[in-house]
Amino acid sequence: MDKWFRVLAAVGLVGSALVHFYLYWGSGYSDIDVVGPLFLLNGVAGVVIAVAVLFWKHWLPALAAFGFGAVTLVSYFLATSVGFFGVHDQFNSQFEYWGVVTEALCVIFGLVLLVRDLQSRRAVTVSR
């Protein structure tokens, strides 16, 4: 079962990375001072964390997936409400919809993996 949770978390991470790469290179975000480099960093981090989630059976990649999704969602919600480093989004494009869906996958399945890993560690500690 953990395998599928890992795959779903990785799908969310790579999906979010692809959205950010597209917006960076294909939609002009590369020209925005602070947000542009953050979009590029987000794309790279999503891919790196996805690989870690798939191949490193540890609680750190699960925490990173959860944190990645949570921080990215909070940043996006700031951009749609009060603005984020001068960027104001409106939640009206396909890429914004997919970004929210993929980042929700990161939060949900990163948290599931984190809880399951901590529970299994606790079970090992108790059985000793």
Side-chain angles (χ1 to χ4, degrees):
M1 187 62 102
D2 276 353
K3 174 185 172 183
W4 290 110
F5 293 144
R6 290 183 182 286
V7 168
L8 289 168
V11 165
L13 289 158
V14 170
S16 178
L18 290 173
V19 166
H20 285 86
F21 281 139
Y22 172 79
L23 292 173
Y24 181 79
W25 278 303
S27 199
Y29 276 66
S30 62
D31 297 329
I32 302 172
D33 284 335
V34 174
V35 174
L38 289 175
F39 269 56
L40 183 58
L41 177 63
N42 195 294
V44 171
V47 172
V48 169
I49 297 168
V51 170
V53 163
L54 288 173
F55 297 108
W56 186 22
K57 309 299 189 253
H58 194 271
W59 61 269
L60 276 174
L63 178 63
F66 171 76
F68 173 93
V71 167
T72 305
L73 277 174
V74 166
S75 299
Y76 178 69
F77 290 130
L78 286 172
T80 58
S81 58
V82 297
F84 187 73
F85 292 107
V87 173
H88 294 272
D89 286 320
Q90 297 177 350
F91 196 66
N92 62 359
S93 78
Q94 173 182 333
F95 294 102
E96 290 170 305
Y97 305 148
W98 280 114
V100 169
V101 168
T102 57
E103 288 142 17
L105 288 174
C106 297
V107 170
I108 293 165
F109 291 105
L111 186 60
V112 167
L113 287 169
L114 186 60
V115 168
R116 289 176 65 88
D117 187 80
L118 294 175
Q119 286 175 340
S120 68
R121 287 179 183 276
R122 186 173 296 136
V124 168
T125 303
V126 170
S127 68
R128 285 187 182 177

